[in-house]
Amino acid sequence: MEQDDPGEALSELRERRLGALELLQAAAGSGLAAYIAWALLLQPGFRRVPLRLQVPYVGASERQVEHVLSLLRGRPGKTVDLGSGDGRIVLAAHKCGLRPAVGYELNPWLVGLARLHAWRAGCAGSVCYLREDLWKVSLRDCHNVSVFLAPSVLPLLEDKLQAELPAGARVVSGRFPLPTWQPVAVMGEGLDRVWAYDVHSGGPNGQASPEPSSASVPGAPRSQVG
Ligand SMILES: C[S@@+](CC[C@H](N)C(=O)[O-])C[C@H]1O[C@@H](n2cnc3c(N)ncnc32)[C@H](O)[C@@H]1O
């Protein structure tokens, strides 16, 4: 700033201050927008869930959905997606014959969106999306369970699955494996990876298979043992 004229220097200073003020306003504005989005769209679902159990919404990739279906296709009994998001896995499961297919989701906006997708697909009366806390629903009648949750909650989920799932149930976990169970099959790579686990002994002490084997996944393409 080499102006000899003090008036000019002053106006340049004012302009710079204005620029900084505008930047500050923009930052505050976007912070506020993010807060409003969080408070309106995400928080309603999580109000009663402890912070350590809160898992944000990320939709499964197309490949991930395909792998989930490959690992469950043809299996009888109730299929559930725990934390069903916009319902894509439940809808795809229903379409490939896994019925009944049920999604449990805390976020009411996502439950609404899932129902809208089902309605647009002509499956409104057939698939079921319930606004429920996955930690509170009983899994005793579930034979096929899909999860795509954060690694931090998976140890607790293992306990719940083990305590509640009936013998013969299968669990498929997207993107992150269950921490201590042994998979019977693994499909896909990287972010699309899905692990399958079978519950062999029923009742409250149901166990995941101790030995991995791809043989229990009939016709699963590109299946690879963990
Ligand atoms: C990573 S997203 C997966 C969404 C969907 N399963 C998919 O694969 O596209 C996890 C979902 O779980 C939901 N969620 C997290 N905690 C939950 C809880 N306690 N009960 C029900 N849903 C929950 C989140 O709102 C989010 O939609």
Side-chain angles (χ1 to χ4, degrees):
M1 186 164 58
E2 287 181 10
Q3 289 97 334
D4 293 333
D5 179 356
E8 236 178 78
L10 197 69
S11 72
E12 187 180 325
L13 244 179
R14 267 201 205 115
E15 269 167 29
R16 280 195 190 176
R17 256 211 346 240
L18 249 182
L21 199 70
E22 276 161 4
L23 257 179
L24 203 71
Q25 277 174 342
S30 49
L32 186 68
Y35 174 76
I36 289 172
W38 175 78
L40 285 180
L41 299 178
L42 298 176
Q43 193 50 20
F46 287 135
R47 210 159 271 148
R48 287 192 215 114
V49 179
L51 194 64
R52 71 192 171 90
L53 293 183
Q54 294 186 5
V55 181
Y57 172 67
V58 180
S61 67
E62 237 171 81
R63 271 275 165 93
Q64 194 178 333
V65 177
E66 282 169 22
H67 297 327
V68 168
L69 296 182
S70 296
L71 293 165
L72 293 180
R73 189 169 280 117
R75 289 177 51 82
K78 180 174 167 183
T79 298
V80 296
D81 186 19
L82 301 179
S84 49
D86 71 353
R88 63 188 69 184
I89 288 181
V90 175
L91 189 56
H94 172 82
K95 284 181 177 169
C96 89
L98 292 162
R99 298 174 188 181
V102 179
Y104 295 114
E105 170 59 53
L106 257 192
N107 187 319
W109 301 102
L110 290 172
V111 173
L113 190 61
R115 288 179 181 156
L116 180 69
H117 288 322
W119 175 75
R120 284 175 54 187
C123 303
S126 337
V127 288
C128 182
Y129 298 105
L130 300 173
R131 189 185 169 196
E132 296 279 0
D133 184 345
L134 69 89
W135 301 107
K136 295 183 181 160
V137 294
S138 168
L139 305 177
R140 288 181 195 283
D141 62 345
C142 300
H143 292 86
N144 307 309
V145 178
S146 161
V147 294
F148 170 21
L149 296 168
S152 56
V153 306
L154 294 181
L156 198 64
L157 186 71
E158 269 188 350
D159 294 344
K160 181 175 171 63
L161 296 170
Q162 187 154 319
E164 296 179 17
L165 286 178
R170 171 166 289 180
V171 179
V172 291
S173 181
R175 202 162 303 184
F176 307 106
L178 296 181
T180 69
W181 289 22
Q182 291 299 311
V184 291
V186 185
M187 286 191 80
E189 295 299 327
L191 298 181
D192 303 323
R193 205 163 217 203
V194 176
W195 290 258
Y197 306 86
D198 284 346
V199 174
H200 286 316
S201 54
N205 297 316
Q207 297 282 331
S209 163
E211 289 299 327
S213 140
S214 58
S216 58
V217 187
R222 297 199 305 113
S223 164
Q224 146 194 356
V225 174

PDB file of all heavy atoms in Angstrom, residues 46 49 53 55-60 81 83-85 88-89 104-107 110 132-135 148-149, ligand 1:
ATOM      1  N   PHE A  46     -31.964 -39.079  15.876  1.00  0.00           N
ATOM      2  CA  PHE A  46     -30.985 -39.528  16.858  1.00  0.00           C
ATOM      3  C   PHE A  46     -31.203 -38.981  18.269  1.00  0.00           C
ATOM      4  O   PHE A  46     -30.405 -39.244  19.153  1.00  0.00           O
ATOM      5  CB  PHE A  46     -29.580 -39.135  16.398  1.00  0.00           C
ATOM      6  CG  PHE A  46     -29.095 -39.967  15.243  1.00  0.00           C
ATOM      7  CD1 PHE A  46     -28.482 -39.377  14.162  1.00  0.00           C
ATOM      8  CD2 PHE A  46     -29.260 -41.340  15.256  1.00  0.00           C
ATOM      9  CE1 PHE A  46     -28.035 -40.146  13.097  1.00  0.00           C
ATOM     10  CE2 PHE A  46     -28.816 -42.121  14.198  1.00  0.00           C
ATOM     11  CZ  PHE A  46     -28.203 -41.521  13.121  1.00  0.00           C
ATOM     12  N   VAL A  49     -30.820 -41.522  20.907  1.00  0.00           N
ATOM     13  CA  VAL A  49     -29.752 -42.513  20.774  1.00  0.00           C
ATOM     14  C   VAL A  49     -28.463 -41.931  21.348  1.00  0.00           C
ATOM     15  O   VAL A  49     -28.089 -40.814  21.014  1.00  0.00           O
ATOM     16  CB  VAL A  49     -29.539 -42.878  19.283  1.00  0.00           C
ATOM     17  CG1 VAL A  49     -28.408 -43.880  19.124  1.00  0.00           C
ATOM     18  CG2 VAL A  49     -30.822 -43.426  18.694  1.00  0.00           C
ATOM     19  N   LEU A  53     -23.601 -44.355  19.696  1.00  0.00           N
ATOM     20  CA  LEU A  53     -24.313 -45.298  18.821  1.00  0.00           C
ATOM     21  C   LEU A  53     -24.873 -44.619  17.570  1.00  0.00           C
ATOM     22  O   LEU A  53     -25.562 -45.244  16.763  1.00  0.00           O
ATOM     23  CB  LEU A  53     -25.468 -45.953  19.586  1.00  0.00           C
ATOM     24  CG  LEU A  53     -25.084 -46.881  20.737  1.00  0.00           C
ATOM     25  CD1 LEU A  53     -26.323 -47.508  21.354  1.00  0.00           C
ATOM     26  CD2 LEU A  53     -24.139 -47.976  20.254  1.00  0.00           C
ATOM     27  N   VAL A  55     -25.018 -43.374  14.005  1.00  0.00           N
ATOM     28  CA  VAL A  55     -24.356 -43.695  12.738  1.00  0.00           C
ATOM     29  C   VAL A  55     -25.005 -42.834  11.647  1.00  0.00           C
ATOM     30  O   VAL A  55     -26.210 -42.916  11.447  1.00  0.00           O
ATOM     31  CB  VAL A  55     -24.550 -45.190  12.378  1.00  0.00           C
ATOM     32  CG1 VAL A  55     -23.841 -45.514  11.071  1.00  0.00           C
ATOM     33  CG2 VAL A  55     -24.065 -46.077  13.496  1.00  0.00           C
ATOM     34  N   PRO A  56     -24.211 -42.027  10.951  1.00  0.00           N
ATOM     35  CA  PRO A  56     -24.810 -41.145   9.939  1.00  0.00           C
ATOM     36  C   PRO A  56     -25.248 -41.917   8.694  1.00  0.00           C
ATOM     37  O   PRO A  56     -24.809 -43.047   8.477  1.00  0.00           O
ATOM     38  CB  PRO A  56     -23.667 -40.182   9.592  1.00  0.00           C
ATOM     39  CG  PRO A  56     -22.433 -40.940   9.902  1.00  0.00           C
ATOM     40  CD  PRO A  56     -22.767 -41.889  11.030  1.00  0.00           C
ATOM     41  N   TYR A  57     -26.095 -41.283   7.903  1.00  0.00           N
ATOM     42  CA  TYR A  57     -26.577 -41.917   6.678  1.00  0.00           C
ATOM     43  C   TYR A  57     -25.539 -41.851   5.555  1.00  0.00           C
ATOM     44  O   TYR A  57     -25.031 -40.783   5.233  1.00  0.00           O
ATOM     45  CB  TYR A  57     -27.863 -41.248   6.186  1.00  0.00           C
ATOM     46  CG  TYR A  57     -28.259 -41.764   4.822  1.00  0.00           C
ATOM     47  CD1 TYR A  57     -28.667 -43.080   4.664  1.00  0.00           C
ATOM     48  CD2 TYR A  57     -28.172 -40.957   3.694  1.00  0.00           C
ATOM     49  CE1 TYR A  57     -28.977 -43.594   3.421  1.00  0.00           C
ATOM     50  CE2 TYR A  57     -28.491 -41.454   2.439  1.00  0.00           C
ATOM     51  CZ  TYR A  57     -28.898 -42.778   2.313  1.00  0.00           C
ATOM     52  OH  TYR A  57     -29.196 -43.275   1.072  1.00  0.00           O
ATOM     53  N   VAL A  58     -25.241 -42.987   4.998  1.00  0.00           N
ATOM     54  CA  VAL A  58     -24.473 -43.098   3.753  1.00  0.00           C
ATOM     55  C   VAL A  58     -25.143 -44.227   2.990  1.00  0.00           C
ATOM     56  O   VAL A  58     -25.281 -45.328   3.527  1.00  0.00           O
ATOM     57  CB  VAL A  58     -22.996 -43.499   4.012  1.00  0.00           C
ATOM     58  CG1 VAL A  58     -22.232 -43.603   2.698  1.00  0.00           C
ATOM     59  CG2 VAL A  58     -22.309 -42.534   4.953  1.00  0.00           C
ATOM     60  N   GLY A  59     -25.581 -43.962   1.782  1.00  0.00           N
ATOM     61  CA  GLY A  59     -26.277 -44.999   1.019  1.00  0.00           C
ATOM     62  C   GLY A  59     -25.307 -46.067   0.512  1.00  0.00           C
ATOM     63  O   GLY A  59     -24.161 -45.758   0.161  1.00  0.00           O
ATOM     64  N   ALA A  60     -25.762 -47.301   0.491  1.00  0.00           N
ATOM     65  CA  ALA A  60     -24.945 -48.383  -0.064  1.00  0.00           C
ATOM     66  C   ALA A  60     -24.748 -48.141  -1.559  1.00  0.00           C
ATOM     67  O   ALA A  60     -25.655 -47.665  -2.238  1.00  0.00           O
ATOM     68  CB  ALA A  60     -25.659 -49.721   0.144  1.00  0.00           C
ATOM     69  N   ASP A  81     -33.275 -54.871   7.051  1.00  0.00           N
ATOM     70  CA  ASP A  81     -32.088 -54.025   6.962  1.00  0.00           C
ATOM     71  C   ASP A  81     -32.099 -53.142   8.212  1.00  0.00           C
ATOM     72  O   ASP A  81     -33.059 -52.396   8.445  1.00  0.00           O
ATOM     73  CB  ASP A  81     -32.130 -53.175   5.684  1.00  0.00           C
ATOM     74  CG  ASP A  81     -30.838 -52.386   5.472  1.00  0.00           C
ATOM     75  OD1 ASP A  81     -29.803 -52.743   6.082  1.00  0.00           O
ATOM     76  OD2 ASP A  81     -30.858 -51.417   4.683  1.00  0.00           O
ATOM     77  N   GLY A  83     -31.157 -50.098  10.036  1.00  0.00           N
ATOM     78  CA  GLY A  83     -30.683 -48.777   9.607  1.00  0.00           C
ATOM     79  C   GLY A  83     -30.837 -48.710   8.105  1.00  0.00           C
ATOM     80  O   GLY A  83     -29.864 -48.731   7.366  1.00  0.00           O
ATOM     81  N   SER A  84     -32.107 -48.668   7.651  1.00  0.00           N
ATOM     82  CA  SER A  84     -32.380 -48.918   6.223  1.00  0.00           C
ATOM     83  C   SER A  84     -32.208 -47.698   5.329  1.00  0.00           C
ATOM     84  O   SER A  84     -32.366 -47.803   4.110  1.00  0.00           O
ATOM     85  CB  SER A  84     -33.788 -49.503   6.064  1.00  0.00           C
ATOM     86  OG  SER A  84     -34.734 -48.748   6.780  1.00  0.00           O
ATOM     87  N   GLY A  85     -31.905 -46.532   5.908  1.00  0.00           N
ATOM     88  CA  GLY A  85     -31.634 -45.347   5.097  1.00  0.00           C
ATOM     89  C   GLY A  85     -32.777 -45.027   4.149  1.00  0.00           C
ATOM     90  O   GLY A  85     -33.943 -44.988   4.555  1.00  0.00           O
ATOM     91  N   ARG A  88     -33.035 -48.589  -0.063  1.00  0.00           N
ATOM     92  CA  ARG A  88     -32.633 -49.233  -1.320  1.00  0.00           C
ATOM     93  C   ARG A  88     -32.407 -50.734  -1.177  1.00  0.00           C
ATOM     94  O   ARG A  88     -32.747 -51.489  -2.080  1.00  0.00           O
ATOM     95  CB  ARG A  88     -31.393 -48.529  -1.909  1.00  0.00           C
ATOM     96  CG  ARG A  88     -30.153 -48.599  -1.052  1.00  0.00           C
ATOM     97  CD  ARG A  88     -29.041 -47.732  -1.599  1.00  0.00           C
ATOM     98  NE  ARG A  88     -29.343 -46.296  -1.487  1.00  0.00           N
ATOM     99  CZ  ARG A  88     -28.554 -45.348  -1.964  1.00  0.00           C
ATOM    100  NH1 ARG A  88     -27.450 -45.667  -2.593  1.00  0.00           N
ATOM    101  NH2 ARG A  88     -28.872 -44.077  -1.804  1.00  0.00           N
ATOM    102  N   ILE A  89     -31.844 -51.154  -0.030  1.00  0.00           N
ATOM    103  CA  ILE A  89     -31.559 -52.588   0.137  1.00  0.00           C
ATOM    104  C   ILE A  89     -32.867 -53.370   0.323  1.00  0.00           C
ATOM    105  O   ILE A  89     -33.067 -54.427  -0.270  1.00  0.00           O
ATOM    106  CB  ILE A  89     -30.579 -52.810   1.306  1.00  0.00           C
ATOM    107  CG1 ILE A  89     -29.183 -52.328   0.881  1.00  0.00           C
ATOM    108  CG2 ILE A  89     -30.547 -54.276   1.743  1.00  0.00           C
ATOM    109  CD1 ILE A  89     -28.095 -52.505   1.911  1.00  0.00           C
ATOM    110  N   TYR A 104     -35.707 -51.024   9.197  1.00  0.00           N
ATOM    111  CA  TYR A 104     -35.828 -50.270  10.451  1.00  0.00           C
ATOM    112  C   TYR A 104     -34.914 -49.052  10.344  1.00  0.00           C
ATOM    113  O   TYR A 104     -33.706 -49.203  10.104  1.00  0.00           O
ATOM    114  CB  TYR A 104     -35.407 -51.129  11.644  1.00  0.00           C
ATOM    115  CG  TYR A 104     -36.315 -52.311  11.877  1.00  0.00           C
ATOM    116  CD1 TYR A 104     -35.849 -53.607  11.716  1.00  0.00           C
ATOM    117  CD2 TYR A 104     -37.639 -52.126  12.265  1.00  0.00           C
ATOM    118  CE1 TYR A 104     -36.686 -54.704  11.929  1.00  0.00           C
ATOM    119  CE2 TYR A 104     -38.479 -53.215  12.475  1.00  0.00           C
ATOM    120  CZ  TYR A 104     -37.993 -54.487  12.313  1.00  0.00           C
ATOM    121  OH  TYR A 104     -38.832 -55.564  12.519  1.00  0.00           O
ATOM    122  N   GLU A 105     -35.479 -47.881  10.523  1.00  0.00           N
ATOM    123  CA  GLU A 105     -34.706 -46.655  10.349  1.00  0.00           C
ATOM    124  C   GLU A 105     -35.214 -45.603  11.342  1.00  0.00           C
ATOM    125  O   GLU A 105     -36.420 -45.425  11.508  1.00  0.00           O
ATOM    126  CB  GLU A 105     -34.860 -46.162   8.897  1.00  0.00           C
ATOM    127  CG  GLU A 105     -34.328 -44.782   8.602  1.00  0.00           C
ATOM    128  CD  GLU A 105     -32.834 -44.624   8.893  1.00  0.00           C
ATOM    129  OE1 GLU A 105     -32.026 -45.415   8.395  1.00  0.00           O
ATOM    130  OE2 GLU A 105     -32.486 -43.690   9.644  1.00  0.00           O
ATOM    131  N   LEU A 106     -34.269 -44.917  11.965  1.00  0.00           N
ATOM    132  CA  LEU A 106     -34.642 -43.916  12.969  1.00  0.00           C
ATOM    133  C   LEU A 106     -35.032 -42.580  12.358  1.00  0.00           C
ATOM    134  O   LEU A 106     -35.892 -41.880  12.867  1.00  0.00           O
ATOM    135  CB  LEU A 106     -33.436 -43.658  13.880  1.00  0.00           C
ATOM    136  CG  LEU A 106     -33.428 -44.291  15.249  1.00  0.00           C
ATOM    137  CD1 LEU A 106     -32.320 -43.680  16.082  1.00  0.00           C
ATOM    138  CD2 LEU A 106     -34.763 -44.146  15.957  1.00  0.00           C
ATOM    139  N   ASN A 107     -34.363 -42.233  11.279  1.00  0.00           N
ATOM    140  CA  ASN A 107     -34.563 -40.894  10.719  1.00  0.00           C
ATOM    141  C   ASN A 107     -35.888 -40.830   9.939  1.00  0.00           C
ATOM    142  O   ASN A 107     -36.060 -41.506   8.926  1.00  0.00           O
ATOM    143  CB  ASN A 107     -33.387 -40.573   9.794  1.00  0.00           C
ATOM    144  CG  ASN A 107     -33.424 -39.143   9.304  1.00  0.00           C
ATOM    145  OD1 ASN A 107     -34.481 -38.623   8.972  1.00  0.00           O
ATOM    146  ND2 ASN A 107     -32.267 -38.510   9.262  1.00  0.00           N
ATOM    147  N   LEU A 110     -35.744 -40.145   6.182  1.00  0.00           N
ATOM    148  CA  LEU A 110     -35.308 -41.284   5.360  1.00  0.00           C
ATOM    149  C   LEU A 110     -36.417 -42.334   5.245  1.00  0.00           C
ATOM    150  O   LEU A 110     -36.584 -42.949   4.190  1.00  0.00           O
ATOM    151  CB  LEU A 110     -34.030 -41.894   5.950  1.00  0.00           C
ATOM    152  CG  LEU A 110     -32.784 -41.014   5.804  1.00  0.00           C
ATOM    153  CD1 LEU A 110     -31.605 -41.593   6.584  1.00  0.00           C
ATOM    154  CD2 LEU A 110     -32.406 -40.844   4.338  1.00  0.00           C
ATOM    155  N   GLU A 132     -38.006 -47.142  13.636  1.00  0.00           N
ATOM    156  CA  GLU A 132     -37.678 -47.848  14.886  1.00  0.00           C
ATOM    157  C   GLU A 132     -36.190 -47.735  15.153  1.00  0.00           C
ATOM    158  O   GLU A 132     -35.383 -47.669  14.226  1.00  0.00           O
ATOM    159  CB  GLU A 132     -38.011 -49.339  14.749  1.00  0.00           C
ATOM    160  CG  GLU A 132     -39.471 -49.674  14.538  1.00  0.00           C
ATOM    161  CD  GLU A 132     -40.273 -49.685  15.819  1.00  0.00           C
ATOM    162  OE1 GLU A 132     -39.681 -49.427  16.896  1.00  0.00           O
ATOM    163  OE2 GLU A 132     -41.481 -49.952  15.743  1.00  0.00           O
ATOM    164  N   ASP A 133     -35.859 -47.807  16.431  1.00  0.00           N
ATOM    165  CA  ASP A 133     -34.464 -47.858  16.854  1.00  0.00           C
ATOM    166  C   ASP A 133     -33.999 -49.306  16.711  1.00  0.00           C
ATOM    167  O   ASP A 133     -34.557 -50.206  17.344  1.00  0.00           O
ATOM    168  CB  ASP A 133     -34.385 -47.401  18.317  1.00  0.00           C
ATOM    169  CG  ASP A 133     -32.953 -47.333  18.814  1.00  0.00           C
ATOM    170  OD1 ASP A 133     -32.061 -47.894  18.145  1.00  0.00           O
ATOM    171  OD2 ASP A 133     -32.735 -46.724  19.875  1.00  0.00           O
ATOM    172  N   LEU A 134     -32.990 -49.506  15.896  1.00  0.00           N
ATOM    173  CA  LEU A 134     -32.552 -50.888  15.623  1.00  0.00           C
ATOM    174  C   LEU A 134     -32.099 -51.608  16.890  1.00  0.00           C
ATOM    175  O   LEU A 134     -32.137 -52.831  16.976  1.00  0.00           O
ATOM    176  CB  LEU A 134     -31.459 -50.913  14.559  1.00  0.00           C
ATOM    177  CG  LEU A 134     -30.066 -50.353  14.885  1.00  0.00           C
ATOM    178  CD1 LEU A 134     -29.142 -51.408  15.469  1.00  0.00           C
ATOM    179  CD2 LEU A 134     -29.433 -49.770  13.621  1.00  0.00           C
ATOM    180  N   TRP A 135     -31.675 -50.838  17.892  1.00  0.00           N
ATOM    181  CA  TRP A 135     -31.208 -51.465  19.132  1.00  0.00           C
ATOM    182  C   TRP A 135     -32.374 -51.974  19.964  1.00  0.00           C
ATOM    183  O   TRP A 135     -32.201 -52.728  20.903  1.00  0.00           O
ATOM    184  CB  TRP A 135     -30.374 -50.473  19.953  1.00  0.00           C
ATOM    185  CG  TRP A 135     -29.195 -49.999  19.181  1.00  0.00           C
ATOM    186  CD1 TRP A 135     -29.017 -48.764  18.628  1.00  0.00           C
ATOM    187  CD2 TRP A 135     -28.017 -50.756  18.840  1.00  0.00           C
ATOM    188  NE1 TRP A 135     -27.816 -48.708  17.962  1.00  0.00           N
ATOM    189  CE2 TRP A 135     -27.180 -49.911  18.081  1.00  0.00           C
ATOM    190  CE3 TRP A 135     -27.589 -52.057  19.101  1.00  0.00           C
ATOM    191  CZ2 TRP A 135     -25.941 -50.323  17.580  1.00  0.00           C
ATOM    192  CZ3 TRP A 135     -26.361 -52.473  18.596  1.00  0.00           C
ATOM    193  CH2 TRP A 135     -25.552 -51.609  17.853  1.00  0.00           C
ATOM    194  N   PHE A 148     -25.308 -52.065   7.455  1.00  0.00           N
ATOM    195  CA  PHE A 148     -24.227 -51.223   6.931  1.00  0.00           C
ATOM    196  C   PHE A 148     -24.124 -50.097   7.965  1.00  0.00           C
ATOM    197  O   PHE A 148     -24.818 -49.095   7.882  1.00  0.00           O
ATOM    198  CB  PHE A 148     -24.578 -50.723   5.532  1.00  0.00           C
ATOM    199  CG  PHE A 148     -23.653 -49.665   4.996  1.00  0.00           C
ATOM    200  CD1 PHE A 148     -22.364 -49.499   5.494  1.00  0.00           C
ATOM    201  CD2 PHE A 148     -24.068 -48.833   3.960  1.00  0.00           C
ATOM    202  CE1 PHE A 148     -21.524 -48.524   4.975  1.00  0.00           C
ATOM    203  CE2 PHE A 148     -23.238 -47.860   3.446  1.00  0.00           C
ATOM    204  CZ  PHE A 148     -21.968 -47.704   3.958  1.00  0.00           C
ATOM    205  N   LEU A 149     -23.298 -50.368   8.988  1.00  0.00           N
ATOM    206  CA  LEU A 149     -23.198 -49.436  10.117  1.00  0.00           C
ATOM    207  C   LEU A 149     -21.722 -49.129  10.392  1.00  0.00           C
ATOM    208  O   LEU A 149     -20.830 -49.755   9.810  1.00  0.00           O
ATOM    209  CB  LEU A 149     -23.859 -50.051  11.355  1.00  0.00           C
ATOM    210  CG  LEU A 149     -25.377 -50.291  11.243  1.00  0.00           C
ATOM    211  CD1 LEU A 149     -25.879 -51.154  12.387  1.00  0.00           C
ATOM    212  CD2 LEU A 149     -26.157 -48.969  11.195  1.00  0.00           C
TER     213      LEU A 149
HETATM  214  C1  LIG B   1     -24.590 -46.111   6.664  1.00  0.00           C
HETATM  215  S1  LIG B   1     -26.341 -45.828   6.585  1.00  0.00           S
HETATM  216  C2  LIG B   1     -26.868 -47.258   5.671  1.00  0.00           C
HETATM  217  C3  LIG B   1     -28.215 -47.053   4.993  1.00  0.00           C
HETATM  218  C4  LIG B   1     -28.748 -48.276   4.227  1.00  0.00           C
HETATM  219  N1  LIG B   1     -28.731 -49.474   5.039  1.00  0.00           N
HETATM  220  C5  LIG B   1     -27.960 -48.527   2.974  1.00  0.00           C
HETATM  221  O1  LIG B   1     -27.141 -49.464   2.991  1.00  0.00           O
HETATM  222  O2  LIG B   1     -28.127 -47.780   1.997  1.00  0.00           O
HETATM  223  C6  LIG B   1     -26.813 -46.204   8.270  1.00  0.00           C
HETATM  224  C7  LIG B   1     -28.258 -45.884   8.546  1.00  0.00           C
HETATM  225  O3  LIG B   1     -28.576 -46.346   9.851  1.00  0.00           O
HETATM  226  C8  LIG B   1     -29.470 -45.432  10.431  1.00  0.00           C
HETATM  227  N2  LIG B   1     -29.382 -45.608  11.877  1.00  0.00           N
HETATM  228  C9  LIG B   1     -28.348 -45.311  12.680  1.00  0.00           C
HETATM  229  N3  LIG B   1     -28.610 -45.640  13.948  1.00  0.00           N
HETATM  230  C10 LIG B   1     -29.861 -46.178  13.944  1.00  0.00           C
HETATM  231  C11 LIG B   1     -30.691 -46.718  14.958  1.00  0.00           C
HETATM  232  N4  LIG B   1     -30.311 -46.753  16.240  1.00  0.00           N
HETATM  233  N5  LIG B   1     -31.902 -47.215  14.606  1.00  0.00           N
HETATM  234  C12 LIG B   1     -32.310 -47.184  13.304  1.00  0.00           C
HETATM  235  N6  LIG B   1     -31.568 -46.660  12.313  1.00  0.00           N
HETATM  236  C13 LIG B   1     -30.357 -46.173  12.618  1.00  0.00           C
HETATM  237  C14 LIG B   1     -28.983 -44.080   9.965  1.00  0.00           C
HETATM  238  O4  LIG B   1     -29.996 -43.096  10.059  1.00  0.00           O
HETATM  239  C15 LIG B   1     -28.598 -44.405   8.529  1.00  0.00           C
HETATM  240  O5  LIG B   1     -29.679 -44.198   7.664  1.00  0.00           O
END
